[in-house]
Amino acid sequence: MDKNTKQMKAVRAKQEEAVLNRILCWIAGGVVLEFLLLLLNRYYCHYLAGEIELRLALGTAVKVIAVAAAVGAVLVGLNWKKKHAAGKSALVSGMFTWFLAGVSVSCFVTWLTEGEGLKLLYVGVPAAVVLVLIYYLYQREFFWVACSTAVSLLGSWLASRGVGGRYAFVVYIYAVLAAVAVLAAAGLIRKAQGAGGMVEYKGEKRRVFPKDANYSLLYLTAVITVAVLAAGALGVGAMILYGASAAWVLVMAVYYTVKLM
């Protein structure tokens, strides 16, 4: 084995170790955050008669933590950016930034929805961790498919609870903004396709998709996502929309898993 081969293997091993560390940090952070959500559900939403004082204290604590965690996320995030720009290891700063952001969002949602939003967060936190795993372990194309499916599933969930009610405007606003975001992403994908999977960022070309990427599936994913969002806003049954989104992402999971082999 020559010297260059050994160096390449050492670099690859180091990169794989860094990815593994990131994955473990995301899993650990997700578990801790999910545990905190379960505690909030127990003592904030389903408190007993003898726990009223604790519930009142939690009501104040949730507001304080929501703001404090947001400020902390910004401060730690600035430190993360500074370390990253200097070429130093920023794994701890980066993960702590995301964790504080998650705590802040969870507290704000609990505060503003009087605990109703916890139902969404129970699924949202594990879903975010799964998306991170897909990002690191699968192809970028499947990551796009998974993110688009998550957007459509959230839209279906909101539609099942908001259409025809007092929160109907939230459903329509989300559907429009999500559809615009998906179509804008599709436009960037089209730009990457024309450049062989590369996009220009800050004057530097970076590879987003491999040369053999199947762009037809990416565009079809965008169409399905927008269609599900529109159908949800029009009042189509949630189970039909869930089924359509789940079926598509499962088919794509099989396709990209086989492609990895």
Side-chain angles (χ1 to χ4, degrees):
M1 185 181 296
D2 57 32
K3 187 177 180 180
N4 289 334
T5 303
K6 289 182 178 179
Q7 289 179 342
M8 289 177 61
K9 284 191 173 183
V11 170
R12 185 173 181 180
K14 189 175 181 180
Q15 291 174 341
E16 290 176 350
E17 183 181 0
V19 169
L20 178 60
N21 289 335
R22 291 190 182 96
I23 290 174
L24 292 176
C25 285
W26 273 98
I27 292 175
V31 169
V32 173
L33 188 55
E34 191 77 6
F35 177 71
L36 294 176
L37 291 174
L38 291 173
L39 288 179
L40 275 178
N41 179 64
R42 168 62 181 83
Y43 295 105
Y44 188 95
C45 300
H46 299 94
Y47 58 92
L48 303 177
E51 299 169 343
I52 294 179
E53 291 186 3
L54 176 60
R55 166 62 178 80
L56 294 174
L58 274 177
T60 302
V62 163
K63 299 174 184 178
V64 173
I65 294 174
V67 177
V71 174
V74 172
L75 295 177
V76 178
L78 292 174
N79 180 258
W80 174 28
K81 184 178 180 181
K82 184 178 179 181
K83 285 185 176 181
H84 187 72
K88 299 179 180 179
S89 176
L91 176 60
V92 176
S93 299
M95 297 310 303
F96 199 45
T97 299
W98 284 110
F99 180 75
L100 287 175
V103 171
S104 178
V105 170
S106 299
C107 289
F108 269 116
V109 170
T110 303
W111 171 16
L112 298 176
T113 64
E114 286 299 319
E116 286 296 317
L118 284 174
K119 298 175 183 177
L120 177 60
L121 292 175
Y122 289 152
V123 180
V125 171
V129 174
V130 170
L131 287 176
V132 170
L133 293 178
I134 291 173
Y135 177 80
Y136 284 117
L137 300 178
Y138 273 81
Q139 305 94 329
R140 293 293 174 83
E141 304 104 291
F142 185 52
F143 178 67
W144 153 252
V145 173
C147 287
S148 298
T149 302
V151 169
S152 63
L153 287 173
L154 177 56
S156 302
W157 184 85
L158 290 173
S160 68
R161 286 157 175 76
V163 172
R166 58 177 179 171
Y167 295 115
F169 71 95
V170 176
V171 177
Y172 301 135
I173 291 175
Y174 174 83
V176 172
L177 293 179
V180 170
V182 169
L183 292 176
L188 291 176
I189 290 173
R190 179 68 184 88
K191 188 176 180 180
Q193 182 182 8
M198 306 285 286
V199 295
E200 188 172 335
Y201 180 72
K202 292 184 178 180
E204 182 180 340
K205 286 190 175 182
R206 301 186 181 185
R207 178 161 296 283
V208 177
F209 301 115
K211 294 181 179 179
D212 63 344
N214 190 333
Y215 290 96
S216 298
L217 294 178
L218 303 184
Y219 297 137
L220 184 55
T221 297
V223 171
I224 291 174
T225 301
V226 173
V228 170
L229 290 170
L234 294 174
V236 176
M239 294 308 297
I240 296 176
L241 301 180
Y242 289 150
S245 298
W248 179 247
V249 77
L250 286 175
V251 169
M252 291 296 94
V254 172
Y255 173 79
Y256 286 109
T257 300
V258 173
K259 197 175 178 182
L260 277 175
M261 297 177 180

